[in-house]
Amino acid sequence: MNNFVYLDNSATTKPCREAIENINSALCDCWANPSSLYELGLDAQLLIDDARDAAARMLHCRSDEIYFTSGGTEGNNTALLGAAYARRKRGNRIVTTTIEHPSVLETVSRLEREGFEVVYLSPDSSGKISADVLAAAVNDKTILVSIMLVNNETGAIQPVCDAATAIRTANAPALLHCDAVQAFGKLPINVSALGVDLLTISAHKIHGPKGVGALYIKKGITVHPLLTGGGQEKGMRSGTEAVPLICGLKGAIDALPDINVSLQKQKVLCDYARKTLCDTGLVTINSADDCLPYILNISVLGYRSETLLHFLESRGVFVSSGSACAKGKGSYVLREMGLDSKRVDSALRISFSRYSTKQDVDILCNEIIAATQKLRRSN
Amino acid sequence: MKEIILIKDGELALKGLNRRNFEDKMVASIRRRLKPLGKISITKSQSTIYIEPAEDSFDFEQALERMKLIFGIAAFSRACVCEKNMTDILSKAPIYLSDTMTSVKTFKVEAKRSDKTFPLTSPEISREVGAALLSAFPHLKVDVHNPDEIITVEIRDFAAYIRGSQIKGAGGLPVGTAGRAQVLISGGIDSPVAAYTMAKRGLVLNAIHFASPPYTSKRAELKVRTLLSKVARYSGTIKLAIVPFTEIQEEIGKHCPEDYFTLIMRRMMMRIACRVAERDGCLGLITGESLGQVASQTLPAIAATDEVCNMPVLRPLIGMDKEEIIAISKKIDAFETSILPYEDCCTVFTPKHPHTKPKAGQCETAEKGLDIEALIERAINGIEYSFIE
C-alpha cells in the first residue's frame, strides 16, 4: 500500500516509524494495567505520564489538564455533553457553527433535542465565521460555544480568539470548546492565547495510530464525564488506558518537526499546487487564500466528485470528495459557504502531509487533466 | 427430548404427474440446506416426509430456520419422538408442549394410528392425552370446533410423534423444477425482490450485473453481491456475471441523442443479457421493472427493450406498488443493503429529459452511430464470473 500519491491526509495519515515503534514496544514489553499497584503497572503508568507531558508541551498547558480519549469524536462528545450538563443551571444557550465536524453537530443536535437552545452560525464566502456574527450570537444565557480551529474540508482557519472575546464582552457563563483535530501539529496552539476552556485533538491526523486522542480541560473547569467506571484519568474518562495507543500518540508528537518551519514549507507547496492546478484551466479553487496550507479544496467543473475520485484512484492518486464520513453526500460545508451545486458536485479535497512533494502535485495535476480527457462530462 | 421435522403431503406444492420430480427436488434442497448442521435421515412413509437428525449435536433451531427458506414447502411441523407406549407419551406431552399450551386458551387432541396393533384406539388416545394436558395446564379448555391449538398424536411403525400447529414455510415451488433464468441485478430495491419472487416459482438463478468503473465503484459491486447472497439463502447458489459496461456507456454518450440515453443503454443491456443467458443455459430473463416507476418503465419503453430480446422476460413486479416491493425486500433482509447510496450505472448518465414513449423505429435510429456488435462482443469477452452462496 505504499507506491502511490496519497493526498487524503485530513481523512487519516500513515503512521510514522516512531509511533509504530512505541506501540510495538508497549505491546510487547509494557502491557500491565497502569492502575495495578505493582511495579509493572507503575511502568505502564509512567509511559502514559510521558505522553501526557508531551501533549501538554504541544498545547502549552499543564500536564494535569490533558485527558486521553479514544479520539476526536469521543473528545468532542465529552467536551460538549460534559460542559452543557455541568452548566445547565446557569443558562440554556449553545452557540456553534454550521461547518463543524459531524461529531460536534450530531452531539449538539442531541443537546437540542434535550431542551437546549442551539444557534448555528454560518460562514462567509471565504469559509470563515466572522467576529461580528459571533458577538451577536453570544449572550448572557450562553453556556457553551464550540468552534473548530481549522475546517476539515476547506482548511479555513476560524477566529477562535474572537469567540473568547465575545464571551467576555457578553459576560456569558460560557465555556469555550475548540475542535483542533485538523490544526494540531500543523498550527502552533497555545490554549491560553486562544482563550479556550476545552480543546480536542486526535492522533491519527499527525501520523499516529487510530483510536487515541486527548481532551484539554482547563484546570478548575467542571465537565461531567462521558464514561464512568473505574475512575481512570481522574474520573474524567474511565476505562483501562490504551497504553500502546497513547504511546503511539507520544511517538507521533515526538516525530513532529518544528511547526513553523513545516508551515512555511507547506505554504510553498500549497502555493505551487494552487498555481499548477489553476494553470490547467480546468480547476476552480474553493479554499480561500488564507486557509491552512495543508488543505486545498478544489472543483473540476463538469465532472462528478465520485467519478473523479475513482478515476484518480485507478491511477494511484488518492484524494477525497467531501468529508470521508459523508460517503456520497455533497459537502454541507461548501454549501454553507454559498458555493453553487455545480461546484459542490465536482469538489475534491486535497490534503497534504509533511511528506508530500512537488512531484505529488505534478502527478495529481496530470491525472486531473487525463480525467477530463477520458471521462464523460456530467450534466 | 428427541425431535424431528415432518412435512405432510398437503404441504407440498405438488402437481399431478410431476409430483415425484418435485418431491425429489425438494428433498434434495432439504438435504443440501441441512447437511452442514449434521447427519440427517430423510424418509417418506404414508404421505409424510420425516426428517430425523442422526446425532444429538444437531442444531434443531437452526434447522427450523433453514427449513423456512426452502421453496416448495407450504408448512411443516416439529414433533417430539416418543416410545410407542402411553406412559412415555403422557409423560412427554405436557413438557414438550408447555410453551404452546401456556399461551393458548383452548385446544383439542387428534390421534392417528398407522399401527392398528396399538392397544388404544385413536379416540382413546385423544382422551388420555387431552386429560394429561388439562391436568398439567388447568387454565385450558377443550374446544372441538374451533380450538386455538390442535395437538396431533401419531402412532407409527417405530415410534409415536406428538406435535402442535404447523410452522409456515416459504411456499412456492421447489428450486429447479422450473428451469434456469437470468436476473438483471442492479443493486436497487427492485431487482433482488424480482429474483426472489421468481426463485419462489421454482427457477434456478443466474445473475448479470453491469459495472462502469470509474463511474461506479467497487462498493456498488459489493452491494450487489450482498443482495444476491440474501436471495441465495432461498434460491441456492447463484452464478453471477459482471459485465464491463463503461465503454458502451461512453459510446452512447458520444453518439446518441441525449434523451435516448437510458433507452439505448437498456437495449444494450438486454442484448448482452440475452446472449449470455442463452450461452449459460437460461430459458428467460428476469427484471425488477414495475410499470410507471421511473421514466424508462412505461409500456412503450418496455416494448422498446423487449424488441431486442428473443427470450421471455419475466417481470414479477410489473403490477406492484413500491410499498409492496419494499415489504418483500424487508422480508428477505435486503432492504437495508439496497438503500445504501452507491452509484449504479443506471443513474450515472441520466438525461435531463428522458424520452418516455419511443415510437417503433425511433430507438433504432438513435442507435445508428454505435457499432453494436463490436461493443457487445468486447463486453461479453470481459465478463467475470463468480458464485454467490
Side-chain angles (χ1 to χ4, degrees), chain A residues 304 307 310-311 327 375-376 379, chain B residues 214-215 217 342 348-350:
Chain A
R304 272 154 131 189
T307 310
H310 288 304
F311 180 89
K327 266 205 187 105
L375 293 175
R376 209 186 119 56
N379 285 323
Chain B
Y215 303 98
S217 74
Y342 303 124
V348 167
F349 286 72
T350 320

Side-chain angles (χ1 to χ4, degrees), chain A residues 304 306-314 326-329 371 374-379, chain B residues 214-219 249-250 253-254 258 261 341-343 347-352:
Chain A
R304 272 154 131 189
E306 205 184 312
T307 310
L308 286 165
L309 186 148
H310 288 304
F311 180 89
L312 291 170
E313 171 189 2
S314 70
K327 266 205 187 105
K329 301 200 290 271
K374 297 215 155 57
L375 293 175
R376 209 186 119 56
R377 290 182 74 91
S378 65
N379 285 323
Chain B
Y215 303 98
T216 62
S217 74
K218 265 267 168 241
R219 287 202 153 111
Q249 294 221 272
E250 287 178 337
K254 279 196 219 132
E258 193 184 315
F261 281 176
Y342 303 124
E343 199 83 80
T347 56
V348 167
F349 286 72
T350 320
K352 273 202 272 285

